[in-house]
Amino acid sequence: MKYIPFILFTVATNAAAQLMLKQGMMSLGPISMTAETAIVRLFQIVFNPWVFAGLVTFVISMASHLYVLSKVELSFAYPFLSLAYVAVAVFAYFVFREDLNAWRIAGIALICVGTVLIAQSGMSSHSDEKPAEAAGARTADFGSKS
């Protein structure tokens, strides 16, 4: 459970990145581009301050997620990322006045219940595990040529 704060940091930065990207795209207005204007338009999008901040925040989120993956099982850490949807839906409701109807609330509730169940399942960190070879399993060696 000591890695939960890192997992939640990953979730928070992922959700924040989504909100920044949305703000940036709203500030740009409807996007249209032709073959002649595609490169210029892409630079306008990427270097919009909100979009750029969102992309940088995604990089921070991914760095945090990579750290988490080096410490805990993927099947434990990855489902927590669904909480980013919960955060985005709630903040989008308050910040962007997006619809939060009964179906979305029910879906959010199911995501929360599922995440709690996964959290209760426990986790093992990579440092606590026995090497796979000692357990009788074969490991894939992707880097060597046989």
Side-chain angles (χ1 to χ4, degrees):
M1 290 298 205
K2 67 181 179 178
Y3 296 107
I4 295 290
F6 294 102
I7 293 171
L8 294 177
F9 176 78
T10 301
V11 169
T13 51
N14 185 298
Q18 287 292 335
L19 295 166
M20 287 183 243
L21 292 173
K22 175 64 176 175
Q23 180 62 42
M25 296 312 292
M26 285 175 45
S27 70
L28 288 170
I31 301 297
S32 63
M33 61 179 97
T34 64
E36 296 83 30
T37 63
I39 300 293
V40 171
R41 194 66 174 142
L42 286 173
F43 275 99
Q44 288 174 337
I45 292 168
V46 169
F47 290 106
N48 171 283
W50 283 106
V51 172
F52 190 78
L55 294 173
V56 169
T57 305
F58 260 135
V59 170
I60 294 166
S61 180
M62 285 307 305
S64 174
H65 188 59
L66 292 172
Y67 173 75
V68 167
L69 291 180
S70 75
K71 302 294 183 183
V72 302
E73 295 173 344
L74 176 62
S75 60
F76 179 80
Y78 189 70
F80 279 90
L81 291 180
S82 63
L83 291 177
Y85 172 77
V86 175
V88 167
V90 170
F91 279 99
Y93 173 77
F94 289 108
V95 175
F96 301 122
R97 299 290 178 222
E98 292 187 3
D99 188 30
L100 194 57
N101 59 37
W103 287 108
R104 289 183 186 177
I105 292 169
I108 288 169
L110 287 173
I111 289 170
C112 292
V113 168
T115 306
V116 167
L117 291 175
I118 290 166
Q120 293 301 312
S121 74
M123 70 171 179
S124 62
S125 69
H126 293 308
S127 60
D128 296 338
E129 295 175 359
K130 294 184 222 173
E133 293 86 7
R138 292 184 48 179
T139 58
D141 188 1
F142 295 108
S144 68
K145 295 180 182 177
S146 304

PDB file of all heavy atoms in Angstrom, residues 13-51:
ATOM      1  N   THR A  13      -2.347  13.568 -12.254  1.00  0.00           N
ATOM      2  CA  THR A  13      -1.679  14.259 -13.356  1.00  0.00           C
ATOM      3  C   THR A  13      -2.303  13.876 -14.698  1.00  0.00           C
ATOM      4  O   THR A  13      -2.406  14.717 -15.594  1.00  0.00           O
ATOM      5  CB  THR A  13      -0.163  14.001 -13.361  1.00  0.00           C
ATOM      6  OG1 THR A  13       0.082  12.590 -13.291  1.00  0.00           O
ATOM      7  CG2 THR A  13       0.524  14.696 -12.194  1.00  0.00           C
ATOM      8  N   ASN A  14      -2.746  12.628 -14.819  1.00  0.00           N
ATOM      9  CA  ASN A  14      -3.420  12.204 -16.042  1.00  0.00           C
ATOM     10  C   ASN A  14      -4.715  12.991 -16.228  1.00  0.00           C
ATOM     11  O   ASN A  14      -4.998  13.505 -17.315  1.00  0.00           O
ATOM     12  CB  ASN A  14      -3.684  10.692 -15.974  1.00  0.00           C
ATOM     13  CG  ASN A  14      -4.261  10.131 -17.246  1.00  0.00           C
ATOM     14  OD1 ASN A  14      -5.345  10.503 -17.658  1.00  0.00           O
ATOM     15  ND2 ASN A  14      -3.532   9.223 -17.857  1.00  0.00           N
ATOM     16  N   ALA A  15      -5.500  13.110 -15.168  1.00  0.00           N
ATOM     17  CA  ALA A  15      -6.760  13.853 -15.245  1.00  0.00           C
ATOM     18  C   ALA A  15      -6.498  15.336 -15.500  1.00  0.00           C
ATOM     19  O   ALA A  15      -7.188  15.963 -16.317  1.00  0.00           O
ATOM     20  CB  ALA A  15      -7.558  13.669 -13.954  1.00  0.00           C
ATOM     21  N   ALA A  16      -5.516  15.904 -14.827  1.00  0.00           N
ATOM     22  CA  ALA A  16      -5.190  17.317 -15.028  1.00  0.00           C
ATOM     23  C   ALA A  16      -4.782  17.573 -16.476  1.00  0.00           C
ATOM     24  O   ALA A  16      -5.171  18.593 -17.071  1.00  0.00           O
ATOM     25  CB  ALA A  16      -4.071  17.739 -14.074  1.00  0.00           C
ATOM     26  N   ALA A  17      -4.019  16.656 -17.041  1.00  0.00           N
ATOM     27  CA  ALA A  17      -3.603  16.805 -18.442  1.00  0.00           C
ATOM     28  C   ALA A  17      -4.819  16.838 -19.358  1.00  0.00           C
ATOM     29  O   ALA A  17      -4.889  17.671 -20.274  1.00  0.00           O
ATOM     30  CB  ALA A  17      -2.658  15.669 -18.838  1.00  0.00           C
ATOM     31  N   GLN A  18      -5.780  15.974 -19.129  1.00  0.00           N
ATOM     32  CA  GLN A  18      -6.994  15.957 -19.951  1.00  0.00           C
ATOM     33  C   GLN A  18      -7.735  17.292 -19.873  1.00  0.00           C
ATOM     34  O   GLN A  18      -8.203  17.819 -20.883  1.00  0.00           O
ATOM     35  CB  GLN A  18      -7.927  14.827 -19.514  1.00  0.00           C
ATOM     36  CG  GLN A  18      -7.454  13.461 -19.892  1.00  0.00           C
ATOM     37  CD  GLN A  18      -7.488  13.246 -21.394  1.00  0.00           C
ATOM     38  OE1 GLN A  18      -8.238  13.872 -22.135  1.00  0.00           O
ATOM     39  NE2 GLN A  18      -6.650  12.343 -21.860  1.00  0.00           N
ATOM     40  N   LEU A  19      -7.848  17.821 -18.669  1.00  0.00           N
ATOM     41  CA  LEU A  19      -8.557  19.090 -18.486  1.00  0.00           C
ATOM     42  C   LEU A  19      -7.819  20.241 -19.170  1.00  0.00           C
ATOM     43  O   LEU A  19      -8.447  21.120 -19.781  1.00  0.00           O
ATOM     44  CB  LEU A  19      -8.755  19.364 -16.995  1.00  0.00           C
ATOM     45  CG  LEU A  19      -9.665  18.363 -16.279  1.00  0.00           C
ATOM     46  CD1 LEU A  19      -9.541  18.506 -14.775  1.00  0.00           C
ATOM     47  CD2 LEU A  19     -11.109  18.514 -16.734  1.00  0.00           C
ATOM     48  N   MET A  20      -6.496  20.228 -19.099  1.00  0.00           N
ATOM     49  CA  MET A  20      -5.715  21.273 -19.777  1.00  0.00           C
ATOM     50  C   MET A  20      -5.854  21.163 -21.293  1.00  0.00           C
ATOM     51  O   MET A  20      -5.981  22.182 -21.988  1.00  0.00           O
ATOM     52  CB  MET A  20      -4.247  21.184 -19.372  1.00  0.00           C
ATOM     53  CG  MET A  20      -3.979  21.652 -17.962  1.00  0.00           C
ATOM     54  SD  MET A  20      -2.220  21.598 -17.597  1.00  0.00           S
ATOM     55  CE  MET A  20      -2.206  20.407 -16.287  1.00  0.00           C
ATOM     56  N   LEU A  21      -5.823  19.931 -21.801  1.00  0.00           N
ATOM     57  CA  LEU A  21      -5.986  19.746 -23.239  1.00  0.00           C
ATOM     58  C   LEU A  21      -7.355  20.244 -23.706  1.00  0.00           C
ATOM     59  O   LEU A  21      -7.469  20.900 -24.747  1.00  0.00           O
ATOM     60  CB  LEU A  21      -5.798  18.272 -23.614  1.00  0.00           C
ATOM     61  CG  LEU A  21      -4.384  17.719 -23.446  1.00  0.00           C
ATOM     62  CD1 LEU A  21      -4.380  16.216 -23.688  1.00  0.00           C
ATOM     63  CD2 LEU A  21      -3.406  18.419 -24.367  1.00  0.00           C
ATOM     64  N   LYS A  22      -8.377  19.955 -22.935  1.00  0.00           N
ATOM     65  CA  LYS A  22      -9.730  20.423 -23.280  1.00  0.00           C
ATOM     66  C   LYS A  22      -9.788  21.949 -23.288  1.00  0.00           C
ATOM     67  O   LYS A  22     -10.324  22.553 -24.219  1.00  0.00           O
ATOM     68  CB  LYS A  22     -10.755  19.850 -22.284  1.00  0.00           C
ATOM     69  CG  LYS A  22     -12.171  20.352 -22.477  1.00  0.00           C
ATOM     70  CD  LYS A  22     -12.752  19.930 -23.796  1.00  0.00           C
ATOM     71  CE  LYS A  22     -14.205  20.376 -23.892  1.00  0.00           C
ATOM     72  NZ  LYS A  22     -14.767  20.091 -25.199  1.00  0.00           N
ATOM     73  N   GLN A  23      -9.211  22.570 -22.265  1.00  0.00           N
ATOM     74  CA  GLN A  23      -9.200  24.031 -22.206  1.00  0.00           C
ATOM     75  C   GLN A  23      -8.459  24.606 -23.417  1.00  0.00           C
ATOM     76  O   GLN A  23      -8.914  25.573 -24.034  1.00  0.00           O
ATOM     77  CB  GLN A  23      -8.546  24.511 -20.902  1.00  0.00           C
ATOM     78  CG  GLN A  23      -8.497  26.021 -20.771  1.00  0.00           C
ATOM     79  CD  GLN A  23      -9.864  26.664 -20.756  1.00  0.00           C
ATOM     80  OE1 GLN A  23     -10.789  26.171 -20.125  1.00  0.00           O
ATOM     81  NE2 GLN A  23     -10.014  27.771 -21.451  1.00  0.00           N
ATOM     82  N   GLY A  24      -7.346  24.013 -23.750  1.00  0.00           N
ATOM     83  CA  GLY A  24      -6.577  24.483 -24.899  1.00  0.00           C
ATOM     84  C   GLY A  24      -7.349  24.361 -26.197  1.00  0.00           C
ATOM     85  O   GLY A  24      -7.350  25.285 -27.018  1.00  0.00           O
ATOM     86  N   MET A  25      -7.998  23.239 -26.381  1.00  0.00           N
ATOM     87  CA  MET A  25      -8.747  23.044 -27.625  1.00  0.00           C
ATOM     88  C   MET A  25      -9.980  23.950 -27.684  1.00  0.00           C
ATOM     89  O   MET A  25     -10.349  24.416 -28.755  1.00  0.00           O
ATOM     90  CB  MET A  25      -9.140  21.573 -27.799  1.00  0.00           C
ATOM     91  CG  MET A  25      -7.932  20.649 -27.960  1.00  0.00           C
ATOM     92  SD  MET A  25      -6.711  21.218 -29.171  1.00  0.00           S
ATOM     93  CE  MET A  25      -7.630  21.044 -30.682  1.00  0.00           C
ATOM     94  N   MET A  26     -10.577  24.225 -26.538  1.00  0.00           N
ATOM     95  CA  MET A  26     -11.705  25.167 -26.525  1.00  0.00           C
ATOM     96  C   MET A  26     -11.224  26.570 -26.878  1.00  0.00           C
ATOM     97  O   MET A  26     -11.923  27.310 -27.570  1.00  0.00           O
ATOM     98  CB  MET A  26     -12.385  25.168 -25.151  1.00  0.00           C
ATOM     99  CG  MET A  26     -13.237  23.948 -24.906  1.00  0.00           C
ATOM    100  SD  MET A  26     -13.949  23.842 -23.244  1.00  0.00           S
ATOM    101  CE  MET A  26     -14.544  25.468 -22.940  1.00  0.00           C
ATOM    102  N   SER A  27     -10.032  26.927 -26.420  1.00  0.00           N
ATOM    103  CA  SER A  27      -9.523  28.270 -26.708  1.00  0.00           C
ATOM    104  C   SER A  27      -9.149  28.421 -28.187  1.00  0.00           C
ATOM    105  O   SER A  27      -9.131  29.529 -28.712  1.00  0.00           O
ATOM    106  CB  SER A  27      -8.326  28.606 -25.824  1.00  0.00           C
ATOM    107  OG  SER A  27      -7.191  27.844 -26.191  1.00  0.00           O
ATOM    108  N   LEU A  28      -8.860  27.318 -28.853  1.00  0.00           N
ATOM    109  CA  LEU A  28      -8.527  27.369 -30.274  1.00  0.00           C
ATOM    110  C   LEU A  28      -9.767  27.417 -31.166  1.00  0.00           C
ATOM    111  O   LEU A  28      -9.696  27.856 -32.310  1.00  0.00           O
ATOM    112  CB  LEU A  28      -7.682  26.151 -30.667  1.00  0.00           C
ATOM    113  CG  LEU A  28      -6.250  26.150 -30.154  1.00  0.00           C
ATOM    114  CD1 LEU A  28      -5.597  24.798 -30.395  1.00  0.00           C
ATOM    115  CD2 LEU A  28      -5.445  27.267 -30.802  1.00  0.00           C
ATOM    116  N   GLY A  29     -10.877  26.945 -30.652  1.00  0.00           N
ATOM    117  CA  GLY A  29     -12.095  26.908 -31.456  1.00  0.00           C
ATOM    118  C   GLY A  29     -12.108  25.697 -32.374  1.00  0.00           C
ATOM    119  O   GLY A  29     -11.226  24.837 -32.304  1.00  0.00           O
ATOM    120  N   PRO A  30     -13.095  25.629 -33.246  1.00  0.00           N
ATOM    121  CA  PRO A  30     -13.194  24.475 -34.157  1.00  0.00           C
ATOM    122  C   PRO A  30     -11.933  24.344 -35.025  1.00  0.00           C
ATOM    123  O   PRO A  30     -11.421  25.333 -35.534  1.00  0.00           O
ATOM    124  CB  PRO A  30     -14.414  24.792 -35.010  1.00  0.00           C
ATOM    125  CG  PRO A  30     -15.198  25.778 -34.202  1.00  0.00           C
ATOM    126  CD  PRO A  30     -14.194  26.561 -33.423  1.00  0.00           C
ATOM    127  N   ILE A  31     -11.469  23.127 -35.152  1.00  0.00           N
ATOM    128  CA  ILE A  31     -10.247  22.858 -35.906  1.00  0.00           C
ATOM    129  C   ILE A  31     -10.613  22.450 -37.327  1.00  0.00           C
ATOM    130  O   ILE A  31     -11.435  21.566 -37.549  1.00  0.00           O
ATOM    131  CB  ILE A  31      -9.432  21.716 -35.255  1.00  0.00           C
ATOM    132  CG1 ILE A  31      -9.054  22.085 -33.824  1.00  0.00           C
ATOM    133  CG2 ILE A  31      -8.215  21.366 -36.071  1.00  0.00           C
ATOM    134  CD1 ILE A  31      -8.151  23.280 -33.701  1.00  0.00           C
ATOM    135  N   SER A  32      -9.976  23.106 -38.255  1.00  0.00           N
ATOM    136  CA  SER A  32     -10.070  22.686 -39.648  1.00  0.00           C
ATOM    137  C   SER A  32      -8.702  22.906 -40.262  1.00  0.00           C
ATOM    138  O   SER A  32      -8.021  23.881 -39.957  1.00  0.00           O
ATOM    139  CB  SER A  32     -11.140  23.474 -40.401  1.00  0.00           C
ATOM    140  OG  SER A  32     -10.793  24.838 -40.437  1.00  0.00           O
ATOM    141  N   MET A  33      -8.306  21.966 -41.084  1.00  0.00           N
ATOM    142  CA  MET A  33      -7.014  22.118 -41.746  1.00  0.00           C
ATOM    143  C   MET A  33      -7.053  21.436 -43.103  1.00  0.00           C
ATOM    144  O   MET A  33      -7.818  20.511 -43.322  1.00  0.00           O
ATOM    145  CB  MET A  33      -5.878  21.595 -40.879  1.00  0.00           C
ATOM    146  CG  MET A  33      -5.913  20.129 -40.516  1.00  0.00           C
ATOM    147  SD  MET A  33      -4.505  19.646 -39.531  1.00  0.00           S
ATOM    148  CE  MET A  33      -5.178  19.726 -37.898  1.00  0.00           C
ATOM    149  N   THR A  34      -6.222  21.934 -43.956  1.00  0.00           N
ATOM    150  CA  THR A  34      -6.073  21.346 -45.279  1.00  0.00           C
ATOM    151  C   THR A  34      -4.659  20.792 -45.374  1.00  0.00           C
ATOM    152  O   THR A  34      -3.840  20.989 -44.471  1.00  0.00           O
ATOM    153  CB  THR A  34      -6.288  22.408 -46.369  1.00  0.00           C
ATOM    154  OG1 THR A  34      -5.260  23.399 -46.246  1.00  0.00           O
ATOM    155  CG2 THR A  34      -7.659  23.066 -46.255  1.00  0.00           C
ATOM    156  N   ALA A  35      -4.377  20.125 -46.443  1.00  0.00           N
ATOM    157  CA  ALA A  35      -3.033  19.586 -46.644  1.00  0.00           C
ATOM    158  C   ALA A  35      -1.985  20.696 -46.612  1.00  0.00           C
ATOM    159  O   ALA A  35      -0.886  20.508 -46.101  1.00  0.00           O
ATOM    160  CB  ALA A  35      -2.955  18.811 -47.953  1.00  0.00           C
ATOM    161  N   GLU A  36      -2.350  21.856 -47.097  1.00  0.00           N
ATOM    162  CA  GLU A  36      -1.402  22.976 -47.148  1.00  0.00           C
ATOM    163  C   GLU A  36      -1.176  23.610 -45.776  1.00  0.00           C
ATOM    164  O   GLU A  36      -0.117  24.166 -45.518  1.00  0.00           O
ATOM    165  CB  GLU A  36      -1.879  24.061 -48.126  1.00  0.00           C
ATOM    166  CG  GLU A  36      -1.964  23.630 -49.583  1.00  0.00           C
ATOM    167  CD  GLU A  36      -3.269  22.898 -49.895  1.00  0.00           C
ATOM    168  OE1 GLU A  36      -4.299  23.174 -49.252  1.00  0.00           O
ATOM    169  OE2 GLU A  36      -3.231  22.027 -50.780  1.00  0.00           O
ATOM    170  N   THR A  37      -2.184  23.551 -44.913  1.00  0.00           N
ATOM    171  CA  THR A  37      -2.074  24.235 -43.613  1.00  0.00           C
ATOM    172  C   THR A  37      -1.867  23.281 -42.443  1.00  0.00           C
ATOM    173  O   THR A  37      -1.789  23.728 -41.297  1.00  0.00           O
ATOM    174  CB  THR A  37      -3.343  25.065 -43.347  1.00  0.00           C
ATOM    175  OG1 THR A  37      -4.471  24.180 -43.258  1.00  0.00           O
ATOM    176  CG2 THR A  37      -3.566  26.108 -44.418  1.00  0.00           C
ATOM    177  N   ALA A  38      -1.751  21.991 -42.696  1.00  0.00           N
ATOM    178  CA  ALA A  38      -1.696  20.998 -41.616  1.00  0.00           C
ATOM    179  C   ALA A  38      -0.519  21.219 -40.673  1.00  0.00           C
ATOM    180  O   ALA A  38      -0.690  21.207 -39.445  1.00  0.00           O
ATOM    181  CB  ALA A  38      -1.656  19.590 -42.197  1.00  0.00           C
ATOM    182  N   ILE A  39       0.665  21.423 -41.202  1.00  0.00           N
ATOM    183  CA  ILE A  39       1.851  21.565 -40.358  1.00  0.00           C
ATOM    184  C   ILE A  39       1.751  22.815 -39.486  1.00  0.00           C
ATOM    185  O   ILE A  39       1.982  22.758 -38.274  1.00  0.00           O
ATOM    186  CB  ILE A  39       3.146  21.617 -41.215  1.00  0.00           C
ATOM    187  CG1 ILE A  39       3.295  20.344 -42.038  1.00  0.00           C
ATOM    188  CG2 ILE A  39       4.365  21.870 -40.358  1.00  0.00           C
ATOM    189  CD1 ILE A  39       3.546  19.102 -41.209  1.00  0.00           C
ATOM    190  N   VAL A  40       1.364  23.921 -40.077  1.00  0.00           N
ATOM    191  CA  VAL A  40       1.230  25.171 -39.323  1.00  0.00           C
ATOM    192  C   VAL A  40       0.164  25.021 -38.247  1.00  0.00           C
ATOM    193  O   VAL A  40       0.354  25.431 -37.095  1.00  0.00           O
ATOM    194  CB  VAL A  40       0.899  26.356 -40.272  1.00  0.00           C
ATOM    195  CG1 VAL A  40       0.548  27.608 -39.491  1.00  0.00           C
ATOM    196  CG2 VAL A  40       2.059  26.605 -41.204  1.00  0.00           C
ATOM    197  N   ARG A  41      -0.944  24.401 -38.617  1.00  0.00           N
ATOM    198  CA  ARG A  41      -2.057  24.228 -37.652  1.00  0.00           C
ATOM    199  C   ARG A  41      -1.639  23.318 -36.503  1.00  0.00           C
ATOM    200  O   ARG A  41      -1.971  23.588 -35.346  1.00  0.00           O
ATOM    201  CB  ARG A  41      -3.281  23.661 -38.380  1.00  0.00           C
ATOM    202  CG  ARG A  41      -4.539  23.758 -37.573  1.00  0.00           C
ATOM    203  CD  ARG A  41      -4.923  25.217 -37.373  1.00  0.00           C
ATOM    204  NE  ARG A  41      -6.201  25.281 -36.728  1.00  0.00           N
ATOM    205  CZ  ARG A  41      -6.515  26.176 -35.811  1.00  0.00           C
ATOM    206  NH1 ARG A  41      -5.653  27.092 -35.449  1.00  0.00           N
ATOM    207  NH2 ARG A  41      -7.688  26.172 -35.258  1.00  0.00           N
ATOM    208  N   LEU A  42      -0.898  22.247 -36.789  1.00  0.00           N
ATOM    209  CA  LEU A  42      -0.415  21.356 -35.728  1.00  0.00           C
ATOM    210  C   LEU A  42       0.504  22.095 -34.759  1.00  0.00           C
ATOM    211  O   LEU A  42       0.415  21.897 -33.543  1.00  0.00           O
ATOM    212  CB  LEU A  42       0.294  20.137 -36.320  1.00  0.00           C
ATOM    213  CG  LEU A  42      -0.628  19.100 -36.957  1.00  0.00           C
ATOM    214  CD1 LEU A  42       0.174  18.025 -37.655  1.00  0.00           C
ATOM    215  CD2 LEU A  42      -1.554  18.495 -35.913  1.00  0.00           C
ATOM    216  N   PHE A  43       1.366  22.955 -35.283  1.00  0.00           N
ATOM    217  CA  PHE A  43       2.226  23.758 -34.408  1.00  0.00           C
ATOM    218  C   PHE A  43       1.400  24.724 -33.566  1.00  0.00           C
ATOM    219  O   PHE A  43       1.692  24.930 -32.385  1.00  0.00           O
ATOM    220  CB  PHE A  43       3.284  24.515 -35.219  1.00  0.00           C
ATOM    221  CG  PHE A  43       4.506  23.702 -35.492  1.00  0.00           C
ATOM    222  CD1 PHE A  43       4.673  23.077 -36.717  1.00  0.00           C
ATOM    223  CD2 PHE A  43       5.493  23.539 -34.522  1.00  0.00           C
ATOM    224  CE1 PHE A  43       5.803  22.310 -36.970  1.00  0.00           C
ATOM    225  CE2 PHE A  43       6.622  22.787 -34.762  1.00  0.00           C
ATOM    226  CZ  PHE A  43       6.787  22.162 -35.995  1.00  0.00           C
ATOM    227  N   GLN A  44       0.353  25.312 -34.148  1.00  0.00           N
ATOM    228  CA  GLN A  44      -0.530  26.191 -33.381  1.00  0.00           C
ATOM    229  C   GLN A  44      -1.199  25.425 -32.245  1.00  0.00           C
ATOM    230  O   GLN A  44      -1.349  25.951 -31.145  1.00  0.00           O
ATOM    231  CB  GLN A  44      -1.598  26.803 -34.289  1.00  0.00           C
ATOM    232  CG  GLN A  44      -1.082  27.847 -35.235  1.00  0.00           C
ATOM    233  CD  GLN A  44      -2.161  28.306 -36.214  1.00  0.00           C
ATOM    234  OE1 GLN A  44      -3.133  27.588 -36.478  1.00  0.00           O
ATOM    235  NE2 GLN A  44      -1.978  29.501 -36.759  1.00  0.00           N
ATOM    236  N   ILE A  45      -1.594  24.190 -32.518  1.00  0.00           N
ATOM    237  CA  ILE A  45      -2.246  23.375 -31.487  1.00  0.00           C
ATOM    238  C   ILE A  45      -1.247  23.011 -30.396  1.00  0.00           C
ATOM    239  O   ILE A  45      -1.487  23.240 -29.205  1.00  0.00           O
ATOM    240  CB  ILE A  45      -2.872  22.111 -32.110  1.00  0.00           C
ATOM    241  CG1 ILE A  45      -4.044  22.495 -33.015  1.00  0.00           C
ATOM    242  CG2 ILE A  45      -3.310  21.130 -31.023  1.00  0.00           C
ATOM    243  CD1 ILE A  45      -4.548  21.358 -33.896  1.00  0.00           C
ATOM    244  N   VAL A  46      -0.118  22.430 -30.779  1.00  0.00           N
ATOM    245  CA  VAL A  46       0.853  21.943 -29.800  1.00  0.00           C
ATOM    246  C   VAL A  46       1.397  23.077 -28.938  1.00  0.00           C
ATOM    247  O   VAL A  46       1.622  22.898 -27.742  1.00  0.00           O
ATOM    248  CB  VAL A  46       2.000  21.184 -30.503  1.00  0.00           C
ATOM    249  CG1 VAL A  46       3.145  20.894 -29.556  1.00  0.00           C
ATOM    250  CG2 VAL A  46       1.476  19.889 -31.111  1.00  0.00           C
ATOM    251  N   PHE A  47       1.603  24.247 -29.529  1.00  0.00           N
ATOM    252  CA  PHE A  47       2.196  25.341 -28.775  1.00  0.00           C
ATOM    253  C   PHE A  47       1.171  26.301 -28.166  1.00  0.00           C
ATOM    254  O   PHE A  47       1.545  27.334 -27.617  1.00  0.00           O
ATOM    255  CB  PHE A  47       3.233  26.078 -29.629  1.00  0.00           C
ATOM    256  CG  PHE A  47       4.448  25.221 -29.850  1.00  0.00           C
ATOM    257  CD1 PHE A  47       4.679  24.631 -31.078  1.00  0.00           C
ATOM    258  CD2 PHE A  47       5.326  24.953 -28.812  1.00  0.00           C
ATOM    259  CE1 PHE A  47       5.781  23.814 -31.286  1.00  0.00           C
ATOM    260  CE2 PHE A  47       6.433  24.143 -28.992  1.00  0.00           C
ATOM    261  CZ  PHE A  47       6.665  23.566 -30.235  1.00  0.00           C
ATOM    262  N   ASN A  48      -0.096  25.934 -28.224  1.00  0.00           N
ATOM    263  CA  ASN A  48      -1.090  26.634 -27.429  1.00  0.00           C
ATOM    264  C   ASN A  48      -0.695  26.400 -25.963  1.00  0.00           C
ATOM    265  O   ASN A  48      -0.399  25.265 -25.584  1.00  0.00           O
ATOM    266  CB  ASN A  48      -2.481  26.064 -27.713  1.00  0.00           C
ATOM    267  CG  ASN A  48      -3.522  26.596 -26.758  1.00  0.00           C
ATOM    268  OD1 ASN A  48      -3.607  26.162 -25.614  1.00  0.00           O
ATOM    269  ND2 ASN A  48      -4.328  27.522 -27.239  1.00  0.00           N
ATOM    270  N   PRO A  49      -0.665  27.429 -25.118  1.00  0.00           N
ATOM    271  CA  PRO A  49      -0.178  27.244 -23.749  1.00  0.00           C
ATOM    272  C   PRO A  49      -0.880  26.139 -22.966  1.00  0.00           C
ATOM    273  O   PRO A  49      -0.235  25.370 -22.245  1.00  0.00           O
ATOM    274  CB  PRO A  49      -0.404  28.615 -23.099  1.00  0.00           C
ATOM    275  CG  PRO A  49      -0.417  29.572 -24.237  1.00  0.00           C
ATOM    276  CD  PRO A  49      -0.982  28.836 -25.405  1.00  0.00           C
ATOM    277  N   TRP A  50      -2.205  26.041 -23.096  1.00  0.00           N
ATOM    278  CA  TRP A  50      -2.938  24.998 -22.378  1.00  0.00           C
ATOM    279  C   TRP A  50      -2.615  23.608 -22.916  1.00  0.00           C
ATOM    280  O   TRP A  50      -2.431  22.665 -22.153  1.00  0.00           O
ATOM    281  CB  TRP A  50      -4.440  25.249 -22.442  1.00  0.00           C
ATOM    282  CG  TRP A  50      -4.898  26.323 -21.517  1.00  0.00           C
ATOM    283  CD1 TRP A  50      -5.288  27.590 -21.866  1.00  0.00           C
ATOM    284  CD2 TRP A  50      -5.012  26.249 -20.098  1.00  0.00           C
ATOM    285  NE1 TRP A  50      -5.637  28.293 -20.749  1.00  0.00           N
ATOM    286  CE2 TRP A  50      -5.483  27.494 -19.645  1.00  0.00           C
ATOM    287  CE3 TRP A  50      -4.768  25.242 -19.167  1.00  0.00           C
ATOM    288  CZ2 TRP A  50      -5.714  27.769 -18.295  1.00  0.00           C
ATOM    289  CZ3 TRP A  50      -4.994  25.518 -17.821  1.00  0.00           C
ATOM    290  CH2 TRP A  50      -5.461  26.761 -17.389  1.00  0.00           C
ATOM    291  N   VAL A  51      -2.582  23.480 -24.220  1.00  0.00           N
ATOM    292  CA  VAL A  51      -2.268  22.176 -24.825  1.00  0.00           C
ATOM    293  C   VAL A  51      -0.841  21.773 -24.458  1.00  0.00           C
ATOM    294  O   VAL A  51      -0.591  20.630 -24.062  1.00  0.00           O
ATOM    295  CB  VAL A  51      -2.470  22.203 -26.357  1.00  0.00           C
ATOM    296  CG1 VAL A  51      -1.965  20.921 -26.998  1.00  0.00           C
ATOM    297  CG2 VAL A  51      -3.942  22.429 -26.692  1.00  0.00           C
TER     298      VAL A  51
END
